[in-house]
Amino acid sequence: MQKNEAERHRAKMEKRKAIQDAEVASKTVEKKGLLLVHTGPGKGKSTAAFGLVLRMLGYGKRVGIVQFGKGAWETGEAEALKRFGDQIALHILGEGFTWETQDRGRDVAAAEAAWAKANELMADPSIALLVLDELNIALRYDHLELADIVETLRNRREDLHIVVTGRNAKPELIDAADLVTEMGAVKHHFKAGVKAQEGIEF
């Protein structure tokens, strides 16, 4: 019986491998700078982006990060990334969430400064990956001109990968993206009264 099961499994996996190999062989584009969007109500959007940062660093590539909105807290990722020296261009340009600053003019100015830095990094040929952390929040509150942002991202360098994070990604940005991942909110410890913790939330 066990021998028959093993043979059935092998035959099934052979068919599966043939399907997978055919699918892979059908892809003809070797390299393309991708626009990735991490959105949705669940936790993990920035966390996933920092996973890509680590992966790119592992290949010796240079990475840029511009954080919109964030900036009031010291974070573990910022401390860790500083250890990579010039391989990382990290710019934390937010002044805290908009409900904390309670000053729209200040929020708009901070978003504009962050976007100017993002443009500077997009033009830098040494940057292989650019993370625009919480850009979706700046767009949600109309701190930046959506059409300008989308056009600029569409016209990025051919070899530049860009990751945009934050809830409520605009439909225009989703349409422009090559990959969109929506993080679902199934369960969160915050609802059970657990505060943000070092190493988990920041």
Side-chain angles (χ1 to χ4, degrees):
M1 187 64 147
Q2 288 181 346
K3 183 179 179 182
N4 288 339
E5 286 179 0
E7 288 174 353
R8 280 198 301 270
H9 175 75
R10 187 179 301 108
K12 184 178 179 180
M13 290 303 106
E14 283 176 356
K15 288 179 182 178
R16 179 61 193 258
K17 181 174 178 0
I19 292 169
Q20 284 297 124
D21 289 349
E23 179 71 17
V24 171
S26 72
K27 310 306 178 215
T28 57
V29 180
E30 290 289 333
K31 288 187 179 181
K32 177 186 186 303
L34 301 174
L35 175 58
L36 303 89
V37 175
H38 296 174
T39 192
K43 175 175 165 50
K45 298 174 285 293
S46 296
T47 305
F50 286 118
L52 291 175
V53 167
L54 184 61
R55 182 172 289 165
M56 197 66 77
L57 292 171
Y59 284 104
K61 305 289 187 180
R62 193 154 182 264
V63 176
I65 302 168
V66 178
Q67 291 191 301
F68 294 75
K70 292 178 179 175
W73 289 2
E74 292 183 13
T75 64
E77 62 266 25
E79 290 305 310
L81 292 172
K82 287 175 186 174
R83 299 174 191 175
F84 286 90
D86 190 52
Q87 202 177 345
I88 284 279
L90 174 62
H91 300 277
I92 304 170
L93 297 173
E95 297 187 359
F97 297 110
T98 187
W99 56 88
E100 292 170 340
T101 64
Q102 300 175 10
D103 183 336
R104 178 170 172 75
R106 186 171 145 194
D107 293 339
V108 169
E112 288 175 345
W115 180 240
K117 180 55 69 174
N119 275 273
E120 181 183 314
L121 293 174
M122 278 186 261
D124 183 344
S126 73
I127 299 291
L129 171 70
L130 176 60
V131 175
L132 303 178
D133 193 31
E134 303 292 359
L135 173 59
N136 285 337
I137 303 303
L139 295 174
R140 177 186 181 187
Y141 289 107
D142 299 317
H143 294 159
L144 296 167
E145 180 57 48
L146 176 63
D148 175 55
I149 302 295
V150 171
E151 182 182 2
T152 301
L153 294 177
R154 279 187 188 276
N155 294 315
R156 65 194 177 279
R157 284 188 285 115
E158 289 185 1
D159 60 341
L160 176 64
H161 301 295
I162 298 179
V163 186
V164 177
T165 75
R167 295 180 178 217
N168 303 111
K170 295 285 190 176
E172 294 88 342
L173 179 61
I174 289 173
D175 183 60
D178 296 288
L179 181 147
V180 179
T181 298
E182 184 171 66
M183 308 292 186
V186 177
K187 191 174 185 179
H188 200 300
H189 48 274
F190 186 73
K191 299 222 181 255
V194 182
K195 292 183 178 181
Q197 297 181 83
E198 185 178 279
I200 300 296
E201 274 77 33
F202 59 93

